[in-house]
Amino acid sequence: MSGSGRVGEASVTIGDSPPPVSVGPLTHSDFIRYAGAFGEFNPVHEDIEVARRAGYPDIFAQGMLMGALAANQVRDWLGQERIRSFTARFRAPAFRDDLLRIECRAAALDESRDRMRLESTITNQAGETLLTAQTEVEV
Amino acid sequence: MTPDRAVGAGSAPEPGSLIAEFGPFPVEWGKAREIAIATFDDAGADRYAPSEEARRDPPFAPPTYTMVQALWGASLDELPLGLEPTRILDGEYRFDYLKPIRVGDWLVGRTRYLGRTAKRGRKVGSFNQVKVETTFHDAQTDEAVLVATRTVLEFEEPPRWERP
């Protein structure tokens, strides 16, 4: 797939990427802060004993904490006003102490619909994919 | 204490039915700033500083702002889905951005239950996919501005994840 398009002020070619973003090591406080900001609490993210009793090796990040990291990277690259949809899929948990790497690339251009598709991934320090996301932007 | 229930048992709403209506609620400077901090958005403190100039031309809300629905009566706990918090994981979250949402806007939300589907995964065994869709509308004009579609995975036993 090749091609390029203008996204607002930016000219984006298939294969282009914004700078990767690193976050972590994730802390217990990060999970509490996220839960408080959105008002969505679940003890598997906040209480180590509950997480272990439920069968998890440790507390882990809310899925949409990772989703927000991927969405923020796209927003910072091309601007919120161009984003038409954002879909995050959760592949594996980000545990406490994990180091995350957030990456994105322009994957496909659909000129008939004036849309470009971006693909994002979040991986941990072991190279495991924790999240994949697709964003549709208007070109 | 209610007896342990089978996954997906209980009184599920009819697929397509409206299960929550909430708001009007404001898109707030302080909340936007708090979300920026909680999502490692280093430029958020400047972006959501309510200077005179910024108040004349308010910034877009953070991309996942509408997840604050949990603060306005439509958290997963409050929706009548019978979900047990320690047995669920997010599977997918989709946002369709129909119109810009800016700080200072007021929104209302309507959440529909889309259904529950039994699935089997290679790594994770059997689970249910539970889907809900929330449409956010401008509180003044009732124009739809964002559709958020959430897929929650409901397990009998959580998957056996290992730490990296």
Side-chain angles (χ1 to χ4, degrees), chain B residues 13-37:
Chain B
E14 279 295 304
S17 60
L18 190 65
I19 53 172
E21 274 191 282
F22 54 96
F25 65 92
V27 180
E28 298 162 275
W29 290 97
K31 181 52 73 182
R33 206 170 163 120
E34 187 184 4
I35 286 171
I37 293 165

Side-chain angles (χ1 to χ4, degrees), chain B residues 96-112:
Chain B
D96 285 284
Y97 300 97
L98 310 178
K99 297 279 169 186
I101 300 175
R102 292 177 184 273
V103 175
D105 291 353
W106 284 73
L107 304 176
V108 294
R110 292 173 200 134
T111 302
R112 284 182 189 283

Side-chain angles (χ1 to χ4, degrees), chain A residues 37 40 54 58 86 89 96, chain B residues 31 85 92 95 97 150 158 163:
Chain A
E40 192 169 275
D58 202 346
F86 173 80
R89 292 190 188 89
R96 181 164 55 146
Chain B
K31 181 52 73 182
E92 185 178 297
F95 296 87
Y97 300 97
R150 186 174 199 171
R163 295 206 51 131

